[in-house]
Amino acid sequence: MIQAVGTGDHHHRPESGVPGQRRRRLLLLGAAGLVLPALLPGAARAAGVSRASLTQEGHRTRLALTLDGGLRWELSAQAEPPALLLDLPRGTWHGASSLAAAGCVSALRVANTRTGTRVTLLLTGPIATPRVLSRDSLLMLELRPGGGPAFARMAAAGRLAQSTGPARRPSASLPLVVLDPGHGGRDPGAIGAHGTHEKRITLAVAHELKRQLEAAGFCRVALTRSRDVFIPLAQRVEVARKHQAALFLSIHADSAPPETARHARGASVYTLGETASDALAAALARRENLADKAGGLRLPSVPPEVLSILFSLMRQETRAGSERLARLVVAALDDETTMLPHSHRRAGFVVLKAPDVPAALVELGFLSHPQDEEALGKPAHRARLAAALVQAVQGYLARSQQAALGGAVPGAASP
Ligand SMILES: [Zn+2]
């Protein structure tokens, strides 16, 4: 049985940072019969951070925290001195009060503030937008060195990420991201050497990405399909257009013909091309577009001249957005997984043809390659890919909102 301790109770808990003192005070309170069962050893844990570790791997530094009891947290950055700030409810940090420096973190400090507990990660210099992975009781921040101006903008922008609370509902004013898990139902998509169906991988990645995006709290998310069902390509595009999505991201896994299957591996990103950028891209576009025929449906036939006029009106702006989105996706994935050479390609995918919604299609790897197939079958790998895509989407939306505000960064004037 779990005795819930409301987050409001933190204010009434002992504030001493010394574990021994804390325990003694709790015991005294216990003797008086005032301690909630959840605070006693052996009972369900109260909300708090029970473990913290700081590790370095290559140019990446990771802070991993074990959170108990649905702890609320909020992450922001500070320009001078460069630091990341993790704000928690008061008295909820039970991890070490300091950790050895690692990678781009020179020191970790924990202090009580007027409103809560602040964990300060002092940085050796500016960092890129941190990746935030939040799953069940694990919160992981992954940090990499980055540019000074981008870091200053990040510090000025306020909250970077926060926990999802039961009371918080997605605001209708947040931009909508439409995720499109490729294939489904009677259309399995590519089939791996060991029998993996593309449609299952795309759906698993889309669900994970949706979860991570919603946890990060900067956008709303809709899926073109949330289960194993066939959805015609044109209908997928319509989902994005009807809801005036800020962006559309189609998720796929690749497959190469037998003669190149041994070598072809890695992720790639596609945007709409008037003519496909190479023969491989053209063949792929044909294959993905054939998905409609697999479902026994045809696209409405529109004369090509009419299409071309309609598209040219809106497409220029949409195209610029799509290209920027694709660049961000390539940069984020490049850090996380093997990439196909010439990672950004152009092809005539039907799902990218909304003239008014910036769109990209990501092929997360080759199911025809044994290593790619094995990796894509692993939830941990899919979670890392999703975290990279979160970073790309966040970067895309941040710039779009900035552009909408006339180039001003919110809060840029304040120190
Ligand atoms: Zn596909």
Side-chain angles (χ1 to χ4, degrees):
M1 192 198 99
I2 293 169
Q3 174 81 45
V5 177
T7 41
D9 288 326
H10 299 301
H11 303 291
H12 307 300
R13 293 180 54 199
E15 286 154 16
S16 163
V18 184
Q21 275 183 12
R22 180 197 306 284
R23 195 161 299 124
R24 270 200 302 282
R25 290 182 65 180
L26 284 175
L27 284 172
L28 285 172
L29 288 167
L34 293 171
V35 172
L36 290 166
L39 295 176
L40 294 171
R45 282 165 188 253
V49 176
S50 58
R51 265 195 71 210
S53 72
L54 196 58
T55 52
Q56 182 192 4
E57 192 189 309
H59 62 294
R60 285 184 272 207
T61 310
R62 294 194 182 99
L63 175 71
L65 303 176
T66 306
L67 310 181
D68 299 309
L71 184 69
R72 287 180 293 120
W73 55 267
E74 194 175 304
L75 184 71
S76 55
Q78 162 188 298
E80 209 47 59
L84 276 183
L85 311 171
L86 181 68
D87 285 307
L88 307 168
R90 194 163 180 136
T92 54
W93 179 270
H94 313 307
S97 54
S98 69
L99 294 170
C104 49
V105 176
S106 59
L108 178 146
R109 286 186 197 146
V110 183
N112 282 332
T113 64
R114 203 168 49 80
T115 53
T117 292
R118 169 163 283 183
V119 181
T120 303
L121 288 168
L122 285 168
L123 304 168
T124 54
I127 56 166
T129 307
R131 281 190 190 162
V132 181
L133 198 68
S134 162
R135 165 163 238 165
D136 302 328
S137 60
L138 177 77
L139 170 64
M140 194 176 84
L141 307 181
E142 189 178 273
L143 320 177
R144 291 167 303 137
F151 184 73
R153 279 198 299 277
M154 194 163 82
R159 189 174 61 216
L160 294 173
Q162 65 176 8
S163 56
T164 48
R168 211 165 58 85
R169 293 186 54 197
S171 153
S173 63
L174 290 174
L176 177 71
V177 171
V178 171
L179 303 178
D180 173 44
H183 312 279
R186 63 203 132 176
D187 168 23
I191 297 177
H194 294 100
T196 307
H197 283 193
E198 180 186 351
K199 66 174 184 178
R200 295 194 202 290
I201 300 296
T202 61
L203 189 59
V205 171
H207 277 303
E208 174 64 18
L209 180 52
K210 178 176 193 283
R211 201 190 57 73
Q212 289 191 25
L213 283 170
E214 287 176 342
F218 57 81
C219 64
R220 293 173 296 140
V221 183
L223 301 181
T224 55
R225 68 176 180 101
S226 55
R227 56 201 174 87
D228 185 16
V229 64
F230 178 83
I231 310 278
L233 298 179
Q235 202 171 310
R236 296 169 188 254
V237 183
E238 275 315 300
V239 171
R241 299 195 62 198
K242 197 170 73 192
H243 296 102
Q244 299 181 307
L247 69 90
F248 178 91
L249 191 62
S250 192
I251 298 164
H252 288 257
D254 224 331
S255 174
E259 60 272 21
T260 54
R262 277 180 56 217
H263 305 291
R265 68 172 303 200
S268 53
V269 182
Y270 288 82
T271 48
L272 187 66
E274 288 183 74
T275 54
S277 61
D278 61 34
L280 192 118
L284 177 60
R286 268 200 302 279
R287 199 167 62 246
E288 302 286 19
N289 290 344
L290 277 176
D292 262 353
K293 297 204 172 100
L297 286 163
R298 281 166 183 226
L299 293 170
S301 69
V302 180
E305 310 83 50
V306 177
L307 267 185
S308 120
I309 292 164
L310 284 173
F311 286 159
S312 66
L313 293 173
M314 277 176 285
R315 211 162 52 182
Q316 213 159 358
E317 196 180 343
T318 306
R319 179 180 294 259
S322 303
E323 296 280 312
R324 188 161 67 78
L325 174 63
R327 280 197 301 275
L328 287 163
V329 171
V330 167
L333 284 176
D334 191 25
D335 247 27
E336 209 52 74
T337 190
T338 311
M339 298 300 289
L340 195 65
H342 314 294
S343 315
H344 180 184
R345 296 165 180 236
R346 290 162 189 83
F349 288 113
V350 170
V351 289
L352 300 180
K353 286 191 174 176
D356 45 0
V357 182
L361 182 148
V362 55
E363 297 274 359
L364 292 169
F366 278 80
L367 287 175
S368 50
H369 193 285
Q371 275 163 281
D372 277 12
E373 183 185 16
E374 197 196 338
L376 288 170
K378 289 181 179 160
H381 180 72
R382 295 199 297 263
R384 282 197 297 273
L385 294 177
L389 294 173
V390 168
Q391 195 187 21
V393 168
Q394 190 170 16
Y396 178 86
L397 293 177
R399 265 277 301 277
S400 300
Q401 281 163 351
Q402 210 176 310
L405 291 166
V409 179
S414 53

